Amino acid sequence: MDCIFCKIAAGEIPSTKVYEDDKVIAFNDLDPQAPFHVLIIPKEHIASAAQIDESNSAVVAHIFEVAAKIASEQGLSDGFRIVSNCGESAGQTVMHLHFHMMAGRDFGWPAG
Ligand code: 5GP
Ligand code: ZN
């Protein structure tokens, strides 16, 4: 499958990793939108949040455990934002489930 995040998860495309275990990987976004901006992805290919069901939802819980661990390790005590764009109109450009984790500036709501 020609999926850029599957290739990053397999180590076939280089990335700057901040966390990795058998289920997930977190790496710096190529085009950061905040001073701290990582993507947390399942190693398993899931196209988007719309494909989450009871067979694969455990990895989402694990991703949020990992996010809390990263926040603690990186000292993100002022807070952070987690976003998952689902579908083209929501801004999803890579069709492999990923969670943007951003910190280091103030964020607007609902955008920016
Ligand atoms: P989306 O637009 O789907 O919500 O987020 C995709 C994100 O993946 C974007 O923020 C984009 O900068 C990032 N991205 C796309 N290709 C690569 C890549 O090859 N390496 C890394 N590290 N990030 C990428
Ligand atoms: Zn994939």
Side-chain angles (χ1 to χ4, degrees):
M1 191 192 305
D2 197 24
C3 171
I4 197 166
F5 285 180
C6 281
K7 288 180 180 163
I8 285 176
E12 292 164 13
I13 291 176
S15 66
T16 304
K17 291 174 203 167
V18 303
Y19 179 88
E20 182 171 14
D21 63 27
D22 57 328
K23 297 184 208 68
V24 308
I25 180 169
F27 53 94
N28 286 340
D29 196 294
L30 206 57
D31 180 23
Q33 303 301 311
F36 180 90
H37 186 172
V38 301
L39 301 170
I40 312 176
I41 70 168
K43 289 186 169 178
E44 172 193 4
H45 182 86
I46 300 169
S48 77
Q51 275 71 47
I52 300 296
D53 61 27
E54 62 186 9
S55 76
N56 60 16
S57 61
V59 75
V60 178
H62 184 61
I63 281 170
F64 277 80
E65 290 172 16
V66 166
K69 194 179 290 186
I70 290 171
S72 165
E73 283 173 4
Q74 304 278 336
L76 306 182
S77 53
D78 286 344
F80 55 89
R81 176 169 288 184
I82 294 177
V83 176
S84 186
N85 298 321
C86 178
E88 272 178 43
S89 67
Q92 186 178 5
T93 58
V94 177
M95 297 302 154
H96 179 127
L97 180 66
H98 54 280
F99 293 84
H100 298 261
M101 180 177 182
M102 295 173 284
R105 66 169 172 87
D106 292 335
F107 294 95
W109 181 260

